[in-house]
Amino acid sequence: MEFSLDGYCGLYCGACPTLLGSRAGTEPKPCHGCKSEIISGWCLICDLKSCAREKGVEFCSACGSYPCEKLEAFKTSAEYPYHTEVYDYMKTIQQEGKSAWLEKMRVRWSCPACGRQASWWDASCKECGAALTGYEKPGEAKNRPVP
Ligand SMILES: [Zn+2]
């Protein structure tokens, strides 16, 4: 089954726990990436995606209104701190192209010790325990429920 790892918003779907679970066959609501035919969760109703499709752009950064207020709100979302990286990602896509960026993302979001693909929430590798540079879920320390 094909996976599509680039999101219109600049996120790397390869670091999404839902996509990682789908690859492992453990995800009850599988997703194969933003631009694939098999999508779940928030990304079914994402308004950045519908906007990009309407405008016929491959990434938000190719849009005449980039960066718009909608994307700025997405980037600065307190709930999803990994969104802060999307402008840098799209800069790399503009300067070096999509495949170079995808390779950088594969490295950015994998364990430096064993190579296992990690999610943006992983502080340590689930395979070997090595320290990773994932994000802490906001509120987790206070035991608030996380969507
Ligand atoms: Zn590892």
Side-chain angles (χ1 to χ4, degrees):
M1 197 68 82
E2 284 286 306
F3 288 86
S4 178
L5 303 182
D6 57 310
Y8 290 103
C9 61
L11 279 181
Y12 177 64
C13 302
C16 175
T18 306
L19 190 137
L20 290 168
S22 306
R23 275 190 156 159
T26 56
E27 174 55 52
K29 291 177 182 169
C31 184
H32 287 207
C34 172
K35 297 175 184 173
S36 79
E37 298 301 314
I38 303 168
I39 296 160
S40 73
W42 165 257
C43 299
L44 280 168
I45 53 156
C46 173
D47 56 348
L48 293 171
K49 174 174 165 166
S50 49
C51 177
R53 283 192 166 175
E54 240 168 65
K55 292 186 172 168
V57 294
E58 198 183 359
F59 294 100
C60 287
S61 51
C63 174
S65 309
Y66 174 82
C68 68
E69 280 176 28
K70 223 185 312 186
L71 187 68
E72 181 66 21
F74 174 83
K75 179 193 176 251
T76 54
S77 156
E79 262 179 291
Y80 304 101
Y82 55 89
H83 289 185
T84 53
E85 297 189 25
V86 296
Y87 289 4
D88 291 339
Y89 292 174
M90 287 193 275
K91 194 174 171 188
T92 304
I93 292 165
Q94 281 175 322
Q95 290 176 345
E96 301 173 36
K98 185 171 104 176
S99 38
W101 171 73
L102 282 171
E103 176 56 18
K104 284 189 171 174
M105 287 297 94
R106 192 188 61 75
V107 173
R108 159 76 180 91
W109 295 107
S110 59
C111 171
C114 75
R116 184 187 202 274
Q117 287 291 289
S119 106
W120 39 58
W121 298 124
D122 289 342
S124 61
C125 177
K126 285 181 176 151
E127 188 72 35
C128 73
L132 300 176
T133 53
Y135 289 85
E136 190 181 331
K137 276 187 184 173
E140 193 159 74
K142 295 167 200 156
N143 288 322
R144 276 196 281 130
V146 176

PDB file of all heavy atoms in Angstrom, residues 82-102:
ATOM      1  N   TYR A  82       4.662  20.726  17.370  1.00  0.00           N
ATOM      2  CA  TYR A  82       5.501  20.361  16.210  1.00  0.00           C
ATOM      3  C   TYR A  82       5.120  21.143  14.960  1.00  0.00           C
ATOM      4  O   TYR A  82       5.866  21.161  13.981  1.00  0.00           O
ATOM      5  CB  TYR A  82       5.450  18.846  15.948  1.00  0.00           C
ATOM      6  CG  TYR A  82       4.058  18.287  15.779  1.00  0.00           C
ATOM      7  CD1 TYR A  82       3.455  18.246  14.526  1.00  0.00           C
ATOM      8  CD2 TYR A  82       3.346  17.794  16.869  1.00  0.00           C
ATOM      9  CE1 TYR A  82       2.162  17.742  14.372  1.00  0.00           C
ATOM     10  CE2 TYR A  82       2.057  17.294  16.719  1.00  0.00           C
ATOM     11  CZ  TYR A  82       1.481  17.270  15.475  1.00  0.00           C
ATOM     12  OH  TYR A  82       0.207  16.775  15.309  1.00  0.00           O
ATOM     13  N   HIS A  83       3.966  21.814  14.983  1.00  0.00           N
ATOM     14  CA  HIS A  83       3.578  22.656  13.843  1.00  0.00           C
ATOM     15  C   HIS A  83       4.540  23.833  13.643  1.00  0.00           C
ATOM     16  O   HIS A  83       4.599  24.395  12.562  1.00  0.00           O
ATOM     17  CB  HIS A  83       2.165  23.227  14.045  1.00  0.00           C
ATOM     18  CG  HIS A  83       1.073  22.215  13.925  1.00  0.00           C
ATOM     19  ND1 HIS A  83      -0.260  22.563  13.968  1.00  0.00           N
ATOM     20  CD2 HIS A  83       1.100  20.870  13.756  1.00  0.00           C
ATOM     21  CE1 HIS A  83      -1.014  21.470  13.839  1.00  0.00           C
ATOM     22  NE2 HIS A  83      -0.218  20.433  13.724  1.00  0.00           N
ATOM     23  N   THR A  84       5.278  24.200  14.703  1.00  0.00           N
ATOM     24  CA  THR A  84       6.183  25.354  14.599  1.00  0.00           C
ATOM     25  C   THR A  84       7.243  25.162  13.519  1.00  0.00           C
ATOM     26  O   THR A  84       7.836  26.123  13.065  1.00  0.00           O
ATOM     27  CB  THR A  84       6.938  25.606  15.923  1.00  0.00           C
ATOM     28  OG1 THR A  84       7.563  24.387  16.322  1.00  0.00           O
ATOM     29  CG2 THR A  84       6.000  26.085  17.008  1.00  0.00           C
ATOM     30  N   GLU A  85       7.476  23.931  13.107  1.00  0.00           N
ATOM     31  CA  GLU A  85       8.544  23.677  12.138  1.00  0.00           C
ATOM     32  C   GLU A  85       8.110  23.848  10.683  1.00  0.00           C
ATOM     33  O   GLU A  85       8.941  23.794   9.779  1.00  0.00           O
ATOM     34  CB  GLU A  85       9.113  22.254  12.348  1.00  0.00           C
ATOM     35  CG  GLU A  85       9.752  22.079  13.727  1.00  0.00           C
ATOM     36  CD  GLU A  85      10.505  20.749  13.880  1.00  0.00           C
ATOM     37  OE1 GLU A  85      10.943  20.178  12.875  1.00  0.00           O
ATOM     38  OE2 GLU A  85      10.644  20.293  15.030  1.00  0.00           O
ATOM     39  N   VAL A  86       6.796  24.043  10.431  1.00  0.00           N
ATOM     40  CA  VAL A  86       6.335  23.973   9.035  1.00  0.00           C
ATOM     41  C   VAL A  86       6.902  25.060   8.116  1.00  0.00           C
ATOM     42  O   VAL A  86       7.133  24.791   6.933  1.00  0.00           O
ATOM     43  CB  VAL A  86       4.795  23.900   8.889  1.00  0.00           C
ATOM     44  CG1 VAL A  86       4.248  22.634   9.508  1.00  0.00           C
ATOM     45  CG2 VAL A  86       4.102  25.130   9.431  1.00  0.00           C
ATOM     46  N   TYR A  87       7.154  26.265   8.624  1.00  0.00           N
ATOM     47  CA  TYR A  87       7.721  27.292   7.734  1.00  0.00           C
ATOM     48  C   TYR A  87       9.139  26.899   7.295  1.00  0.00           C
ATOM     49  O   TYR A  87       9.516  27.091   6.150  1.00  0.00           O
ATOM     50  CB  TYR A  87       7.742  28.675   8.405  1.00  0.00           C
ATOM     51  CG  TYR A  87       6.382  29.330   8.587  1.00  0.00           C
ATOM     52  CD1 TYR A  87       5.207  28.670   8.241  1.00  0.00           C
ATOM     53  CD2 TYR A  87       6.279  30.609   9.086  1.00  0.00           C
ATOM     54  CE1 TYR A  87       3.960  29.273   8.420  1.00  0.00           C
ATOM     55  CE2 TYR A  87       5.040  31.228   9.265  1.00  0.00           C
ATOM     56  CZ  TYR A  87       3.889  30.546   8.935  1.00  0.00           C
ATOM     57  OH  TYR A  87       2.674  31.153   9.116  1.00  0.00           O
ATOM     58  N   ASP A  88       9.904  26.371   8.248  1.00  0.00           N
ATOM     59  CA  ASP A  88      11.260  25.910   7.910  1.00  0.00           C
ATOM     60  C   ASP A  88      11.195  24.790   6.876  1.00  0.00           C
ATOM     61  O   ASP A  88      11.996  24.729   5.950  1.00  0.00           O
ATOM     62  CB  ASP A  88      11.974  25.378   9.162  1.00  0.00           C
ATOM     63  CG  ASP A  88      12.299  26.503  10.150  1.00  0.00           C
ATOM     64  OD1 ASP A  88      12.338  27.667   9.717  1.00  0.00           O
ATOM     65  OD2 ASP A  88      12.501  26.203  11.339  1.00  0.00           O
ATOM     66  N   TYR A  89      10.231  23.889   7.072  1.00  0.00           N
ATOM     67  CA  TYR A  89      10.085  22.779   6.134  1.00  0.00           C
ATOM     68  C   TYR A  89       9.787  23.294   4.735  1.00  0.00           C
ATOM     69  O   TYR A  89      10.387  22.858   3.749  1.00  0.00           O
ATOM     70  CB  TYR A  89       8.938  21.854   6.567  1.00  0.00           C
ATOM     71  CG  TYR A  89       9.179  21.069   7.837  1.00  0.00           C
ATOM     72  CD1 TYR A  89       8.152  20.306   8.379  1.00  0.00           C
ATOM     73  CD2 TYR A  89      10.405  21.070   8.475  1.00  0.00           C
ATOM     74  CE1 TYR A  89       8.336  19.574   9.538  1.00  0.00           C
ATOM     75  CE2 TYR A  89      10.592  20.343   9.644  1.00  0.00           C
ATOM     76  CZ  TYR A  89       9.559  19.595  10.162  1.00  0.00           C
ATOM     77  OH  TYR A  89       9.742  18.871  11.298  1.00  0.00           O
ATOM     78  N   MET A  90       8.850  24.235   4.664  1.00  0.00           N
ATOM     79  CA  MET A  90       8.453  24.712   3.338  1.00  0.00           C
ATOM     80  C   MET A  90       9.558  25.535   2.686  1.00  0.00           C
ATOM     81  O   MET A  90       9.680  25.568   1.478  1.00  0.00           O
ATOM     82  CB  MET A  90       7.118  25.447   3.415  1.00  0.00           C
ATOM     83  CG  MET A  90       5.981  24.433   3.627  1.00  0.00           C
ATOM     84  SD  MET A  90       4.321  25.063   3.371  1.00  0.00           S
ATOM     85  CE  MET A  90       3.977  25.756   4.967  1.00  0.00           C
ATOM     86  N   LYS A  91      10.403  26.159   3.511  1.00  0.00           N
ATOM     87  CA  LYS A  91      11.570  26.861   2.976  1.00  0.00           C
ATOM     88  C   LYS A  91      12.515  25.847   2.311  1.00  0.00           C
ATOM     89  O   LYS A  91      13.031  26.072   1.220  1.00  0.00           O
ATOM     90  CB  LYS A  91      12.289  27.588   4.123  1.00  0.00           C
ATOM     91  CG  LYS A  91      13.292  28.613   3.672  1.00  0.00           C
ATOM     92  CD  LYS A  91      13.832  29.371   4.890  1.00  0.00           C
ATOM     93  CE  LYS A  91      15.002  30.266   4.490  1.00  0.00           C
ATOM     94  NZ  LYS A  91      15.663  30.848   5.675  1.00  0.00           N
ATOM     95  N   THR A  92      12.720  24.721   3.000  1.00  0.00           N
ATOM     96  CA  THR A  92      13.564  23.666   2.428  1.00  0.00           C
ATOM     97  C   THR A  92      12.962  23.119   1.135  1.00  0.00           C
ATOM     98  O   THR A  92      13.673  22.893   0.158  1.00  0.00           O
ATOM     99  CB  THR A  92      13.735  22.512   3.454  1.00  0.00           C
ATOM    100  OG1 THR A  92      14.263  23.043   4.661  1.00  0.00           O
ATOM    101  CG2 THR A  92      14.665  21.431   2.921  1.00  0.00           C
ATOM    102  N   ILE A  93      11.649  22.942   1.136  1.00  0.00           N
ATOM    103  CA  ILE A  93      10.980  22.441  -0.068  1.00  0.00           C
ATOM    104  C   ILE A  93      11.183  23.416  -1.231  1.00  0.00           C
ATOM    105  O   ILE A  93      11.516  23.013  -2.349  1.00  0.00           O
ATOM    106  CB  ILE A  93       9.473  22.204   0.210  1.00  0.00           C
ATOM    107  CG1 ILE A  93       9.295  21.045   1.191  1.00  0.00           C
ATOM    108  CG2 ILE A  93       8.720  21.921  -1.101  1.00  0.00           C
ATOM    109  CD1 ILE A  93       7.903  20.955   1.818  1.00  0.00           C
ATOM    110  N   GLN A  94      11.048  24.721  -0.945  1.00  0.00           N
ATOM    111  CA  GLN A  94      11.226  25.739  -1.990  1.00  0.00           C
ATOM    112  C   GLN A  94      12.663  25.764  -2.498  1.00  0.00           C
ATOM    113  O   GLN A  94      12.911  25.905  -3.689  1.00  0.00           O
ATOM    114  CB  GLN A  94      10.869  27.128  -1.439  1.00  0.00           C
ATOM    115  CG  GLN A  94       9.373  27.380  -1.393  1.00  0.00           C
ATOM    116  CD  GLN A  94       9.039  28.726  -0.730  1.00  0.00           C
ATOM    117  OE1 GLN A  94       9.675  29.130   0.239  1.00  0.00           O
ATOM    118  NE2 GLN A  94       8.036  29.412  -1.254  1.00  0.00           N
ATOM    119  N   GLN A  95      13.615  25.643  -1.560  1.00  0.00           N
ATOM    120  CA  GLN A  95      15.020  25.804  -1.935  1.00  0.00           C
ATOM    121  C   GLN A  95      15.645  24.529  -2.494  1.00  0.00           C
ATOM    122  O   GLN A  95      16.482  24.588  -3.381  1.00  0.00           O
ATOM    123  CB  GLN A  95      15.828  26.277  -0.720  1.00  0.00           C
ATOM    124  CG  GLN A  95      15.489  27.717  -0.333  1.00  0.00           C
ATOM    125  CD  GLN A  95      16.208  28.160   0.939  1.00  0.00           C
ATOM    126  OE1 GLN A  95      16.733  27.330   1.692  1.00  0.00           O
ATOM    127  NE2 GLN A  95      16.218  29.452   1.197  1.00  0.00           N
ATOM    128  N   GLU A  96      15.241  23.372  -1.938  1.00  0.00           N
ATOM    129  CA  GLU A  96      15.945  22.141  -2.302  1.00  0.00           C
ATOM    130  C   GLU A  96      15.060  21.107  -2.997  1.00  0.00           C
ATOM    131  O   GLU A  96      15.551  20.092  -3.481  1.00  0.00           O
ATOM    132  CB  GLU A  96      16.570  21.510  -1.039  1.00  0.00           C
ATOM    133  CG  GLU A  96      17.559  22.450  -0.354  1.00  0.00           C
ATOM    134  CD  GLU A  96      18.053  21.896   0.980  1.00  0.00           C
ATOM    135  OE1 GLU A  96      18.230  20.672   1.075  1.00  0.00           O
ATOM    136  OE2 GLU A  96      18.236  22.698   1.910  1.00  0.00           O
ATOM    137  N   GLY A  97      13.759  21.365  -3.004  1.00  0.00           N
ATOM    138  CA  GLY A  97      12.840  20.433  -3.655  1.00  0.00           C
ATOM    139  C   GLY A  97      12.264  19.421  -2.688  1.00  0.00           C
ATOM    140  O   GLY A  97      12.790  19.198  -1.597  1.00  0.00           O
ATOM    141  N   LYS A  98      11.178  18.809  -3.131  1.00  0.00           N
ATOM    142  CA  LYS A  98      10.425  17.915  -2.251  1.00  0.00           C
ATOM    143  C   LYS A  98      11.201  16.660  -1.872  1.00  0.00           C
ATOM    144  O   LYS A  98      11.198  16.258  -0.709  1.00  0.00           O
ATOM    145  CB  LYS A  98       9.099  17.528  -2.923  1.00  0.00           C
ATOM    146  CG  LYS A  98       8.199  16.692  -2.044  1.00  0.00           C
ATOM    147  CD  LYS A  98       6.821  16.518  -2.655  1.00  0.00           C
ATOM    148  CE  LYS A  98       6.680  15.145  -3.244  1.00  0.00           C
ATOM    149  NZ  LYS A  98       5.312  14.913  -3.752  1.00  0.00           N
ATOM    150  N   SER A  99      11.914  16.039  -2.814  1.00  0.00           N
ATOM    151  CA  SER A  99      12.554  14.763  -2.451  1.00  0.00           C
ATOM    152  C   SER A  99      13.710  14.974  -1.476  1.00  0.00           C
ATOM    153  O   SER A  99      13.918  14.147  -0.580  1.00  0.00           O
ATOM    154  CB  SER A  99      12.976  13.956  -3.671  1.00  0.00           C
ATOM    155  OG  SER A  99      13.469  14.767  -4.671  1.00  0.00           O
ATOM    156  N   ALA A 100      14.455  16.089  -1.632  1.00  0.00           N
ATOM    157  CA  ALA A 100      15.528  16.381  -0.664  1.00  0.00           C
ATOM    158  C   ALA A 100      14.932  16.616   0.718  1.00  0.00           C
ATOM    159  O   ALA A 100      15.467  16.164   1.732  1.00  0.00           O
ATOM    160  CB  ALA A 100      16.327  17.606  -1.105  1.00  0.00           C
ATOM    161  N   TRP A 101      13.804  17.327   0.746  1.00  0.00           N
ATOM    162  CA  TRP A 101      13.129  17.582   2.028  1.00  0.00           C
ATOM    163  C   TRP A 101      12.632  16.281   2.654  1.00  0.00           C
ATOM    164  O   TRP A 101      12.796  16.055   3.856  1.00  0.00           O
ATOM    165  CB  TRP A 101      11.958  18.552   1.811  1.00  0.00           C
ATOM    166  CG  TRP A 101      11.096  18.694   3.021  1.00  0.00           C
ATOM    167  CD1 TRP A 101      11.395  19.356   4.162  1.00  0.00           C
ATOM    168  CD2 TRP A 101       9.783  18.142   3.211  1.00  0.00           C
ATOM    169  NE1 TRP A 101      10.341  19.244   5.053  1.00  0.00           N
ATOM    170  CE2 TRP A 101       9.346  18.512   4.495  1.00  0.00           C
ATOM    171  CE3 TRP A 101       8.944  17.371   2.396  1.00  0.00           C
ATOM    172  CZ2 TRP A 101       8.103  18.123   5.002  1.00  0.00           C
ATOM    173  CZ3 TRP A 101       7.711  16.998   2.895  1.00  0.00           C
ATOM    174  CH2 TRP A 101       7.297  17.366   4.185  1.00  0.00           C
ATOM    175  N   LEU A 102      12.034  15.407   1.843  1.00  0.00           N
ATOM    176  CA  LEU A 102      11.533  14.130   2.384  1.00  0.00           C
ATOM    177  C   LEU A 102      12.665  13.328   3.010  1.00  0.00           C
ATOM    178  O   LEU A 102      12.489  12.716   4.067  1.00  0.00           O
ATOM    179  CB  LEU A 102      10.851  13.319   1.278  1.00  0.00           C
ATOM    180  CG  LEU A 102       9.425  13.761   0.909  1.00  0.00           C
ATOM    181  CD1 LEU A 102       8.952  13.039  -0.344  1.00  0.00           C
ATOM    182  CD2 LEU A 102       8.447  13.532   2.058  1.00  0.00           C
TER     183      LEU A 102
END
